[in-house]
Amino acid sequence: LRMNWVIDQAIRTTQFIRNKAIRYWMDNSRKLKIDKFALNKYSTVLRKEFPFVADLNSMAVQSAADIQPKTGKEIGLDVGIESFYTDSNGYQEPNPKFHQKGGTIN
């Protein structure tokens, strides 16, 4: 039970850091040009301000504060029956055709 509690607390702390970093980025990104370096510095501020954040090692805190910028190249995928998948751009990959011949699959 103790290990489950520790893991749960680490997950909650990581989510807390992520939420604080996103709020910091949203509130200051245009004024301060928030980049990865600024978020790493902010993670140090969080470690000093919140003792439970300091319980995580610094790499875990920095990783939680890292925000991946959108590139505009993100897509959604829908796996289906009629086609193998359809992406959000409308491309459909046909289902693979496996033919059985002479007891082997080709």
Side-chain angles (χ1 to χ4, degrees):
L1 280 175
R2 173 85 175 130
M3 182 57 95
N4 289 341
W5 181 85
V6 170
I7 292 170
D8 186 52
Q9 290 303 108
I11 291 169
R12 287 176 187 226
T13 302
T14 300
Q15 289 171 334
F16 173 82
I17 296 164
R18 173 69 44 110
N19 290 340
K20 293 290 275 184
I22 289 171
R23 173 55 41 195
Y24 178 70
W25 176 74
M26 289 173 63
D27 291 345
N28 299 298
S29 64
R30 291 191 177 147
K31 292 182 280 185
L32 302 177
K33 297 182 180 176
I34 303 300
D35 58 5
K36 188 173 183 171
F37 179 73
L39 289 171
N40 282 342
K41 283 178 59 177
Y42 184 63
S43 71
T44 301
V45 171
L46 291 175
R47 287 174 61 89
K48 290 178 182 174
E49 186 175 349
F50 300 99
F52 63 93
V53 173
D55 290 342
L56 286 180
N57 70 36
S58 61
M59 289 183 68
V61 174
Q62 287 178 2
S63 176
D66 188 18
I67 297 174
Q68 301 297 322
K70 292 191 174 193
T71 63
K73 296 180 181 179
E74 295 85 9
I75 61 167
L77 294 177
D78 180 34
V79 180
I81 295 172
E82 293 180 19
S83 63
F84 186 61
Y85 72 85
T86 304
D87 69 23
S88 55
N89 296 324
Y91 173 78
Q92 288 188 339
E93 179 69 26
N95 280 318
K97 305 288 185 199
F98 298 103
H99 301 285
Q100 190 169 2
K101 184 177 181 180
T104 61
I105 297 175
N106 298 331

